[in-house]
Amino acid sequence: MTSLSGRALRLTVYIGEDDTWHHKPLYSEIVHRAHAAGLAGASVFRGIEGFGASSRIHTARLLSLSEDLPVAVVVVDTEERVRAFLPQLDELVDEGLVTLEECEVVRYVGRGPGGTDPKGEKSS
């Protein structure tokens, strides 16, 4: 497991839910590449409404069709590792927004073997 504490960089990739890479969801490809690159972690968040450079509003409201909702892929790791990952995003992301923000990691602890937390208690 990657160790991470203190100063870090947060990479956020804003794309559409329907964006693909070789017939696979783009957000999934980004997460799998981040994992293969040994980054500390990645999460995908689905938005309920938003717009981007095209100025077209995408929404999940009941009276509208839920199509191409906004998705944010967030990766946090050291500046060196995040910046080393950026060339892969250049290959993957044709449309969207990519941002970098400095952040501070206060706690980064994974589950132990068998789904237990570091104190040996069963995780839910």
Side-chain angles (χ1 to χ4, degrees):
M1 179 173 92
T2 302
S3 173
L4 186 62
S5 65
R7 287 179 42 109
L9 207 57
R10 179 178 51 240
L11 163 69
T12 307
V13 182
Y14 300 92
I15 54 176
E17 184 178 38
D18 292 343
D19 292 345
T20 60
W21 175 258
H22 294 244
H23 309 291
K24 178 178 172 183
L26 178 57
Y27 59 83
S28 181
E29 183 67 19
I30 294 170
V31 168
H32 284 86
R33 286 195 186 197
H35 183 260
L39 293 173
S43 296
V44 179
F45 300 94
R46 183 180 191 219
I48 58 171
E49 189 166 36
F51 72 93
S54 68
S55 292
R56 182 169 176 258
I57 294 181
H58 304 268
T59 183
R61 279 187 267 149
L62 186 60
L63 299 176
S64 301
L65 291 176
S66 299
E67 61 179 53
D68 201 23
L69 293 173
V71 171
V73 182
V74 180
V75 176
V76 176
D77 207 321
T78 64
E79 180 173 358
E80 179 183 1
R81 289 191 284 230
V82 168
R83 290 196 183 276
F85 184 66
L86 291 177
Q88 292 199 54
L89 289 180
D90 286 340
E91 176 189 353
L92 295 172
V93 180
D94 291 331
E95 298 175 352
L97 174 66
V98 178
T99 64
L100 294 172
E101 299 91 25
E102 291 183 3
C103 63
E104 181 179 355
V105 174
V106 176
R107 182 173 168 88
Y108 176 67
V109 180
R111 292 184 179 151
T116 58
D117 68 19
K119 297 174 187 168
E121 298 172 3
K122 187 72 173 168
S123 300
S124 51

